[in-house]
Amino acid sequence: MPLSASQETVLEELVETLSDSATWCVIGSTDSVLRGLDDDPSDIDILATEAAAKEFRDWFSDGFTDTREVGQSQIDTYVVHGEEVEVIFCHREKSHQTPLIDLERIEVVQTENSGVPLLPLEHLVTVYEQIGKQETVVRLQSELGVSVR
């Protein structure tokens, strides 16, 4: 299932609004659809550095709805163009929070058409393993040929 028009609009706005120095990428079911898999995203999940999450807050503060800690991460939730967007990051000063993956040490890839940043597949597998989504790891392996360590 393709992304909805409003999901496409949100992604376009993120690419256009956030600075080139903001390190973020799409994960979750939106990532799957952008890679050509059949999925039905109910929201847009963003993995971000703390600096990118702050920039997101600065630009989209009108849509902010809540923040919560889940496991080792912080999740800020927004509504942008009617779509729920969850920005997942960690506060470095909170010792119990650690990044799912250090986005500052890897190079994200971008979709050809719209320039939406995605994690390289091997790093995406690492994220899913860390959050206990083994079924997604298996799906990536079978449908995209990702090798699992």
Side-chain angles (χ1 to χ4, degrees):
M1 183 171 219
L3 298 176
S4 69
S6 59
Q7 289 168 329
E8 291 278 357
T9 298
V10 169
L11 292 175
E12 287 171 14
E13 187 167 342
L14 294 178
V15 168
E16 291 172 7
T17 304
L18 297 173
S19 70
D20 290 339
S21 63
T23 305
W24 62 280
C25 59
V26 173
I27 62 171
S29 54
T30 304
D31 173 276
S32 297
V33 170
L34 291 171
R35 293 182 193 271
L37 299 179
D38 186 30
D39 221 329
D40 187 16
S42 61
D43 65 0
I44 298 172
D45 296 317
I46 305 291
L47 187 61
T49 62
E50 187 173 11
K54 182 186 178 325
E55 187 172 320
F56 197 99
R57 254 182 265 126
D58 292 344
W59 282 105
F60 299 98
S61 61
D62 289 348
F64 178 79
T65 60
D66 77 342
T67 189
R68 67 192 185 283
E69 287 189 46
V70 176
Q72 62 191 26
S73 299
Q74 186 83 23
I75 301 176
D76 287 352
T77 304
Y78 301 82
V79 175
V80 180
H81 299 295
E83 295 293 332
E84 183 175 286
V85 179
E86 292 190 335
V87 179
I88 305 159
F89 65 102
C90 76
H91 286 291
R92 296 257 183 203
E93 73 275 1
K94 293 185 177 183
S95 61
H96 65 284
Q97 289 189 6
T98 57
L100 291 169
I101 194 148
D102 191 349
L103 289 175
E104 294 172 354
R105 294 183 177 253
I106 64 167
E107 189 171 329
V108 297
V109 296
Q110 295 182 342
T111 58
E112 283 187 34
N113 301 359
S114 56
V116 175
L118 304 173
L119 281 176
L121 283 170
E122 65 273 13
H123 296 296
L124 185 61
V125 167
T126 300
V127 167
Y128 284 125
E129 287 174 335
Q130 286 189 32
I131 61 176
K133 291 202 170 190
Q134 191 58 35
E135 71 282 355
T136 303
V137 171
V138 170
R139 181 176 183 216
L140 291 174
Q141 181 182 28
S142 67
E143 294 186 32
L144 294 177
V146 177
S147 60
V148 179
R149 294 174 260 132

